[in-house]
Amino acid sequence: MINNYMAIIFLDESLDNIRSLTKMRPLASVPAGGTYRVIDFALSNLVNAGIRNVGLFAGNEDLNSLIDHIGRGTEWDLDRKKDGIFMFKQMADSSYTTNIKKVKKNMEYLFRSKQENVVILSSHMVCNLDVKDVIKHHEESGRDITLVYKKVNNANERFDNCDSIKIGENNEVLGIGQNLFFKKDENISMEAFIMSKELLIKMICDGIQDGVYYTVRDLVTRNIGRVSVNGYEFEGYLACVNSTKEYFDFNMDLLKKEVREDIFIKERSIYTKTKDTPPSLFKEGAEVNNSLIANGCILSGNVKNSILARGAIVEAGAEVENCILLQDCVVKSGAVLKNIIVDKNNIINSNEKLSASRNYPLVIEKSIKWDDKQYKNLLAYLEGANK
């Protein structure tokens, strides 16, 4: 059964509300939980189900960090002679005009893949989804498409810009709209679909011909009524990482034991790129409470309700509370941080005090780290180019 399924992960998220973290990377490669990247969850959901042909359809942003993270897909068992992991540009440019060259390349991937069915996910929907169970329910339903959704009771506070769906009898999807924060209780679409490859190709071609192709979610929405859509209710933890606040809330949720137990299930592990880093060092005088600390950190100060990525340093006398410190950040002695997201390679100077609201966390944007040799080489290159 699973051998007849391939997968596509669409990286077409709106970046308007999370620009401070995505100026130099796609949303899919934004670090999460101290050790992982956002895309790790969707990739792991697929390989845990036994799917070994995965295509990434990316946007127009710089993909260097995503390519560096995924590499050949070894950590996800996707480094293969047959099938494996592939990366493509989306078929529509930033102006939403169809790019025929991209269409041909993408369609070639679909036509050459041997599998007859497709699982479609969006990277920014973070959860531990049993894809194998979704496939089982899809085949039992006999319907053309299966859409995964979750009933939430906080739609008036979270899931900004997400779709809400209307469910009829026998779990049939009757309509797809947008969550407008009017109601607490909503059925939120997880932008996860299962359908035949033939149907996907037909909807893409029809959409391009009609001049309305944007994303798969749009194609499914405009075909409600023409095709039968089955609803699959997901009951686990779900976060939609499409804004700075949602990113912050998701990371803070990981500090809750019940959320970690739901996300990091032994039977369906979440995989990520491995790095050979030493264990973290907790020096005398360090106080750490309710925090996730990745490898390679050096802690001498106070850390509370925070997440620290690899190589973060908190010096003696520094206080970090409700914060996310990404890779190789340094918080100098006497500094105080509260509700702050510090992106990679930043140094918070001694005695600096930065505080923000939980609902509006402050982001210290990514810093480019240069050593003296790299800086001198760059200057020499620029001087030579200007002659």
Side-chain angles (χ1 to χ4, degrees):
M1 179 178 70
I2 295 297
N3 291 336
N4 205 22
Y5 282 82
M6 60 182 293
I8 293 175
I9 301 178
F10 279 97
L11 315 179
D12 59 350
E13 306 91 351
S14 172
L15 303 179
D16 293 341
N17 296 321
I18 195 169
R19 284 290 179 190
S20 53
L21 289 168
T22 57
K23 284 184 178 179
M24 303 177 70
R25 60 166 80 93
L27 177 56
S29 63
V30 172
T35 305
Y36 302 91
R37 303 289 180 120
V38 170
I39 197 170
D40 291 342
F41 299 88
L43 270 179
S44 299
N45 289 336
L46 294 172
V47 300
N48 284 332
I51 294 174
R52 294 297 182 265
N53 181 8
V54 180
L56 303 181
F57 285 65
N60 296 304
E61 62 271 16
D62 186 351
L63 299 178
N64 288 343
S65 66
L66 184 61
I67 294 171
D68 176 70
H69 176 65
I70 293 176
R72 300 177 63 178
T74 304
E75 282 79 7
W76 299 271
D77 192 23
L78 293 173
D79 182 6
R80 294 169 166 261
K81 292 181 179 179
K82 181 181 178 181
D83 293 332
I85 191 164
F86 308 89
M87 192 171 298
F88 305 92
K89 288 285 188 178
Q90 297 243 30
M91 289 177 267
D93 290 326
S94 56
S95 59
Y96 290 108
T97 56
T98 303
N99 187 312
I100 297 300
K101 289 183 178 179
K102 295 179 184 177
V103 170
K104 290 181 178 178
K105 189 173 182 179
N106 294 351
M107 286 302 189
E108 183 182 4
Y109 165 66
L110 291 173
F111 286 128
R112 292 183 65 177
S113 295
K114 302 299 183 183
Q115 295 82 5
E116 297 179 355
N117 301 290
V118 188
V119 177
I120 301 170
L121 300 181
S122 294
S123 66
H124 65 287
M125 289 291 182
V126 178
C127 62
N128 193 318
L129 176 65
D130 188 348
V131 173
K132 188 179 291 187
D133 191 59
V134 182
I135 290 174
K136 176 184 175 184
H137 279 75
H138 170 69
E139 295 185 349
E140 290 175 351
S141 73
R143 294 190 173 123
D144 299 314
I145 299 173
T146 289
L147 184 158
V148 184
Y149 71 95
K150 179 174 174 59
K151 292 181 179 179
V152 303
N153 57 9
N154 59 347
N156 59 330
E157 300 173 355
R158 298 182 69 167
F159 301 101
D160 187 16
N161 291 321
C162 292
D163 290 334
S164 63
I165 66 173
K166 184 178 180 181
I167 299 291
E169 295 182 0
N170 300 319
N171 288 322
E172 183 178 7
V173 177
L174 302 179
I176 304 176
Q178 190 172 27
N179 176 32
L180 298 177
F181 299 100
F182 292 153
K183 296 190 299 182
K184 291 179 61 177
D185 300 321
E186 286 282 7
N187 297 319
I188 296 295
S189 168
M190 293 171 56
E191 299 175 31
F193 307 93
I194 296 179
M195 66 186 76
S196 69
K197 185 172 67 175
E198 180 182 2
L199 177 57
L200 174 63
I201 292 172
K202 182 181 184 304
M203 290 197 303
I204 290 174
C205 292
D206 289 346
I208 292 172
Q209 191 171 25
D210 295 341
V212 294
Y213 171 76
Y214 300 127
T215 65
V216 170
R217 58 192 271 198
D218 296 323
L219 294 177
V220 173
T221 300
R222 71 190 294 269
N223 280 282
I224 292 284
R226 303 177 192 176
V227 296
S228 57
V229 183
N230 177 53
Y232 175 95
E233 183 182 354
F234 172 70
E235 298 181 349
Y237 173 84
L238 172 67
C240 177
V241 182
N242 62 356
S243 69
T244 302
K245 183 180 182 301
E246 292 286 355
Y247 172 79
F248 184 81
D249 287 343
F250 163 59
N251 280 274
M252 293 298 105
D253 284 348
L254 290 178
L255 298 176
K256 303 172 184 176
K257 182 181 178 182
E258 63 271 20
V259 172
R260 292 197 303 274
E261 290 177 345
D262 191 293
I263 287 281
F264 303 109
I265 302 171
K266 184 178 180 180
E267 295 77 15
R268 298 196 303 273
S269 299
I270 303 299
Y271 305 99
T272 190
K273 180 180 179 179
T274 56
K275 293 187 177 181
D276 296 327
T277 49
S280 290
L281 175 61
F282 296 80
K283 291 190 173 182
E284 185 176 355
E287 291 189 15
V288 180
N289 296 293
N290 192 38
S291 297
L292 294 179
I293 311 297
N295 289 344
C297 295
I298 302 175
L299 305 180
S300 304
N302 298 334
V303 179
K304 181 179 179 182
N305 299 333
S306 296
I307 293 179
L308 276 59
R310 296 183 180 99
I313 298 174
V314 179
E315 294 185 352
E319 296 183 14
V320 175
E321 182 178 355
N322 299 337
C323 291
I324 304 167
L325 306 186
L326 299 188
Q327 187 173 328
D328 296 327
C329 289
V330 179
V331 182
K332 293 286 189 177
S333 60
V336 178
L337 302 180
K338 188 172 183 179
N339 296 322
I340 308 294
I341 302 170
V342 185
D343 210 335
K344 292 176 63 175
N345 302 328
N346 275 293
I347 298 176
I348 307 300
N349 293 324
S350 296
N351 301 316
E352 279 196 15
K353 291 180 174 56
L354 298 173
S355 180
S357 164
R358 172 68 185 260
N359 291 326
Y360 302 96
L362 174 66
V363 178
I364 309 299
E365 295 183 9
K366 183 178 179 180
S367 173
I368 299 177
K369 197 172 184 179
W370 301 88
D371 59 33
D372 291 340
K373 184 177 180 180
Q374 290 172 320
Y375 185 67
K376 289 177 181 178
N377 289 341
L378 176 63
L379 289 178
Y381 172 80
L382 293 175
E383 288 173 359
N386 290 330
K387 288 181 180 180

